[in-house]
């Protein structure tokens, strides 16, 4: 076994059906008593319900979270926090909502409770991406990490089936890249394999019946493990390329991950054979795990090309250029010609090759 370092982020995980009802007790455990609930406009009714569950510990609701955490929205939420003298933050939602709570936490030092409603995994990472003047920057700090995460399957039942599938593939991308991360270690590898398996085994059941509590519970368990991989070890080419595409062409986050993952993995296949073996085992295939993911996307009825989610046909050169800037660690060097072939195939949805 190779030498490794193992650092884990400290967080309290409260997992189980209906456990949102314990939120007031969690606020008290944090020695707080004036919570600000944060969510999106679309999830306002759920936010109001949560405020009700908090009783006297729920003092304000902010329903303005949007994608990419623009600083103007953070400023508006800060005003609400200050006006109500809130002493803790509760994010009820996906990565966008949790991103806003993180942005407030890093500015105020307030503790956060995250109640995730997608599979994106942000709730277990100390990372925050924010947008100012159209530029998205990422930072990492201990104060960004939520102190408590309540994984309550009931909060995920309303996630539409297609969104659930692309969000699950977003989670799988975290675990897949953890397998060949520069900081890979045996514990994270166990979590990655278990997380991928839990998600892929239950996706069909969720698509057939989005109210299937057992399948949803297992998917949420998988998402927690995959998110922990993201929060614990460094990522590689796939996360870099998704960041580039999201920023340059404003592509939707989860779908971009879902579409690009087979291509990123094919790019790295020869440089990371051990990771590919574990990934194959987790996906239940003999070899070429990227093809299993490529086929899965089609079987699940998700968008299958970058063009379908808004990447312009003449965007490839820009994508290559941006990907080669601010180089990211990857088991295989990032080079213009193979990257160009990768983007070309992903743009049209052609099967991934050796690039
Ligand atoms: P999202 O939070 O943007 O949610 C997408 C939409 O789905 C929103 O309108 C939301 O209200 C709705 N929604 C969420 N859960 C729902 C539910 N259960 N029922 C009905 N509707 C629901 O999507 P996301 O993919 O979770 O998050 C994407 C954002 O998170 C991106 O900005 C990404 O960069 C960020 N992110 C950050 C990290 C990190 O570690 N910092 C990790 C993953 C994602």
């Amino acid at each position: 076994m190779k030498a490794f370092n193992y650092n884990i982020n400290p967080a309290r995980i409260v997992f189980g059906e209906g456990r949102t009802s314990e939120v007031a007790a969690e606020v008290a455990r944090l020695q707080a008593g004036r919570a600000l609930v944060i969510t999106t406009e679309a999830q306002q009714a759920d936010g109001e319900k949560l405020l009700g569950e908090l009783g006297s510990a729920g003092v304000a609701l902010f329903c303005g979270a949007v994608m990419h955490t623009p600083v103007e929205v953070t400023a508006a939420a800060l005003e609400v926090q200050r006006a109500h003298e809130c002493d803790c933050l509760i994010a009820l939602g996906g990565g966008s909502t949790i991103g806003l709570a993180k942005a407030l936490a890093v500015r105020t030092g307030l503790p956060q409770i995250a109640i995730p409603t997608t599979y994106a995994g942000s709730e277990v990472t100390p990372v925050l991406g924010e947008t100012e003047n159209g530029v998205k920057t990422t930072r990492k700090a201990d104060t960004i990490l939520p102190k408590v995460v309540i994984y309550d399957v009931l909060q995920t039942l309303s996630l539409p089936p297609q969104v659930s599938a692309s969000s699950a593939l977003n989670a799988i991308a975290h675990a897949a890249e953890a397998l060949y991360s520069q900081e890979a270690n045996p514990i994270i590898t166990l979590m990655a394999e278990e997380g991928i398996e839990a998600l892929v085994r239950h996706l069909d059941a969720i698509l057939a019946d989005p109210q299937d509590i057992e399948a949803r519970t297992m998917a949420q368990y998988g998402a927690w493990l995959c998110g922990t991989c993201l929060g614990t070890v460094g990522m590689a080419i796939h996360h870099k390329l998704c960041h580039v595409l999201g920023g340059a062409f404003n592509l939707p986050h989860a779908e971009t991950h879902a579409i690009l993952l087979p291509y990123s993995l094919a790019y790295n296949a020869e440089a990371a054979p051990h990771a590919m073996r574990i990934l194959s085992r987790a996906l239940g295939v003999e070899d070429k795990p990227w093809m299993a993911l490529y086929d899965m996307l089609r079987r699940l009825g998700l968008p299958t090309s970058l063009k379908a989610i808004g990447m312009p046909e003449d965007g490839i050169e820009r994508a290559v250029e941006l990907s080669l800037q601010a180089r990211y660690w990857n088991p295989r060097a990032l080079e213009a010609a193979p990257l160009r072939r990768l983007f070309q195939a992903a743009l049209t949805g052609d099967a991934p090759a050796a690039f």
Side-chain angles (χ1 to χ4, degrees), residues 40 42-43 67-68 93-97 102 117-118 120-122 125 127-129 136 155-160 163 167 170 174 230 253-254:
T40 59
Q43 290 173 281
M67 193 85 105
H68 305 312
S96 298
T97 300
K102 287 175 164 182
T117 63
T118 70
S122 180
T125 83
V127 178
L128 164 65
K136 190 165 180 178
Q155 301 289 357
T156 65
L157 299 184
S158 54
L159 193 65
V163 185
S167 191
N170 182 191
H174 308 327
L230 172 71
H253 178 83

Side-chain angles (χ1 to χ4, degrees), residues 4 8 17 37 58 74 79 84 93 97 99 116 119-120 143 148 176 178 185 205 207 279 281 291 315 326:
F4 61 88
I8 197 82
E17 182 182 342
V37 173
T74 302
E79 273 184 36
H84 291 85
T97 300
Y119 304 130
T143 48
V148 180
N185 66 66
L207 287 196
L279 194 50
R281 200 164 64 203
M291 284 310 297

